Amino acid sequence: MTGRAKIIGTGSYLPKRILTNKELEKIVETSDEWITTRTGIRSRRIAGAGEETSKMAAQAAIKALTMAGVTARELDMIIVGTITAEMVMPSCACLVQKEIGAENAFAFDVSAACSGFAYALEIADRYLKNAPDMKILLIGAETLSARVNWQDRNTCILFGDGAGACVVTGSKDENGLLASQLYSDGRLWQLLSLDAVPRRYCPVVDYKTIPDRDSFCDGSAFNMVGKDVFKHAVREMGDAVENLLKREGITVDDIDLMIPHQANIRILKSLAERVNLPFEKVYTTIQKYGNSSAASLPIALDEANREGRLQKGDLLLFSVFGGGFTWGVVLLRW
Ligand code: COA
């Protein structure tokens, strides 16, 4: 197979500030024990000054470009999956373009919530079918800490900030993206939504001030029906994985590693059980970073890659789910 997307470099950036569950106990009525048992999250990263979404995205991009041996000027296209760009216009992708000096690329954002990175990869793959020599930078980057309501314990404990990136080009061998399927269902939007809050109402806070509650954005912009989201996530991701494997004529035993969107360790365990994949084959970062929406998958991919967990020829599954609802699955040979 030729011309389909092959990942040739990965990178990630995590904010320096670590916010632990113990610190959250001082901000909302919660406990380390509750958060750990219900979500698996022990800490998350929180962006500070100089760690805006586009700045983190650019840092992740530079690492991915270095690994790929591609210069920024060689890039043809930049796609950023994000729901927390610092501006509505220009796109985060254009700010990244400026930041890294990718003047020959065209750049745009994809809004698909936590599924943003998989959506971006699918778009890149379609371009590469017609133009396999293109070099494309894909990023997932989020600053959710600037948008969540830090007085709502139902949601603020879940999210974190960060960015992950990869460089893709057309595959010249049997490695690369083999199959994918994206979905969305706008009828269910009210189960998970984030208002379009003007930035002036919700500034990126200097998080050295934690636990000063008053310095957080307190707009009730984030709406979530947690139990319903949980059920849909397991069901839709499970169906998507099973349908894709069936369509491609492979079994779950052929999968070497699943790298899913990191929402909740219990969602990931239920998903693994549902599709009969041993949990050792599910890569997780949720314990350290919480749910960083579109950034979570490319951050996990980069960590797995740099740890040497991905061997050439491995069969990988990406599985995503997010607000919209949006969801999808990607099968690729590393
Ligand atoms: N600390 C302590 N108690 C909390 C709490 C917190 N941070 N958040 C909620 N609670 C309370 C609730 O108020 C509720 O109390 P009540 O019984 O007195 O009303 C109780 O804990 C149980 O809440 P419940 O909603 O039943 O918990 P849950 O087992 O469903 O877990 C989530 C809640 C949010 C962790 C879980 O539903 C979930 O992860 N859903 C998916 C969310 C998600 O992944 N979103 C992003 C998708 S991309």
Side-chain angles (χ1 to χ4, degrees):
M1 180 179 300
T2 58
R4 304 217 55 181
K6 182 173 179 176
I7 296 172
I8 56 171
T10 62
S12 57
Y13 179 88
L14 276 311
K16 295 182 183 41
R17 175 73 167 93
I18 299 171
L19 179 63
T20 63
N21 292 348
K22 277 277 166 216
E23 286 174 282
L24 269 172
E25 289 177 0
K26 297 178 195 151
I27 298 170
V28 284
E29 199 66 39
T30 192
S31 67
D32 176 32
E33 198 266 333
W34 193 96
I35 301 172
T36 308
T37 51
R38 301 284 176 130
T39 71
I41 300 167
R42 293 182 181 280
S43 62
R44 68 285 294 141
R45 298 298 177 97
I46 303 290
E51 293 180 322
E52 293 80 7
T53 306
S54 65
K55 294 278 175 23
M56 295 194 293
Q59 290 302 317
I62 289 165
K63 289 180 192 160
L65 287 165
T66 304
M67 186 187 284
V70 170
T71 65
R73 282 176 58 85
E74 289 177 276
L75 287 172
D76 299 291
M77 174 157 81
I78 301 172
I79 314 176
V80 179
T82 185
I83 49 167
T84 52
E86 56 261 52
M87 281 183 258
V88 173
M89 180 183 72
S91 67
C92 184
C94 283
L95 295 179
V96 171
Q97 177 189 26
K98 178 200 79 107
E99 198 74 19
I100 64 175
E103 59 228 40
N104 299 314
F106 64 98
F108 60 96
D109 291 354
V110 166
S111 173
C114 305
S115 307
F117 182 77
Y119 271 56
L121 179 55
E122 162 89 13
I123 295 168
D125 186 59
R126 301 283 167 135
Y127 266 89
L128 290 166
K129 272 186 192 154
N130 289 331
D133 291 333
M134 282 180 82
K135 293 190 172 53
I136 304 175
L137 175 62
L138 306 177
I139 304 174
E142 304 283 11
T143 325
L144 281 152
S145 68
R147 301 295 174 85
V148 294
N149 178 352
W150 286 94
Q151 291 169 1
D152 176 12
R153 66 178 184 174
N154 290 295
T155 52
C156 76
I157 54 131
L158 296 173
F159 298 101
D161 304 332
C166 68
V167 179
V168 297
T169 190
S171 177
K172 295 188 172 55
D173 52 31
E174 73 284 3
N175 302 71
L177 194 148
L178 302 177
S180 58
Q181 188 68 51
L182 301 180
Y183 304 85
S184 45
D185 188 347
R187 290 171 301 180
L188 300 170
W189 74 270
Q190 282 170 318
L191 297 178
L192 184 58
S193 67
L194 175 60
D195 292 349
V197 184
R199 194 161 62 119
R200 66 179 180 278
Y201 295 129
C202 207
V204 176
V205 173
D206 179 356
Y207 284 92
K208 283 185 201 120
T209 56
I210 282 176
D212 174 7
R213 218 185 252 247
D214 294 337
S215 59
F216 291 117
C217 164
D218 63 356
S220 56
F222 211 108
N223 301 301
M224 185 180 79
V225 185
K227 275 193 191 307
D228 287 351
V229 173
F230 192 111
K231 277 187 229 153
H232 278 282
V234 175
R235 188 191 312 147
E236 317 309 1
M237 284 196 288
D239 285 352
V241 167
E242 284 176 355
N243 289 338
L244 191 85
L245 294 186
K246 195 168 164 199
R247 193 180 88 194
E248 297 304 310
I250 57 175
T251 74
V252 77
D253 298 336
D254 299 322
I255 302 300
D256 293 294
L257 193 67
M258 179 195 274
I259 306 183
H261 165 54
Q262 311 282 317
N264 179 322
I265 199 88
R266 291 191 296 129
I267 291 179
L268 301 186
K269 284 186 174 160
S270 302
L271 172 63
E273 203 174 308
R274 159 77 204 272
V275 302
N276 289 319
L277 186 70
F279 197 62
E280 307 81 72
K281 288 190 173 183
V282 180
Y283 193 82
T284 63
T285 58
I286 180 93
Q287 305 87 336
K288 298 180 286 184
Y289 306 141
N291 178 348
S292 56
S293 189
S296 85
L297 200 163
I299 290 171
L301 175 67
D302 182 48
E303 291 209 355
N305 191 18
R306 285 173 196 268
E307 274 170 16
R309 185 86 190 262
L310 311 179
Q311 300 303 316
K312 193 169 165 32
D314 276 359
L315 205 51
L316 308 184
L317 254 190
F318 297 162
S319 174
V320 292
F321 185 87
F325 286 140
T326 57
W327 67 101
V329 59
V330 177
L331 178 71
L332 61 100
R333 193 166 292 286
W334 191 249

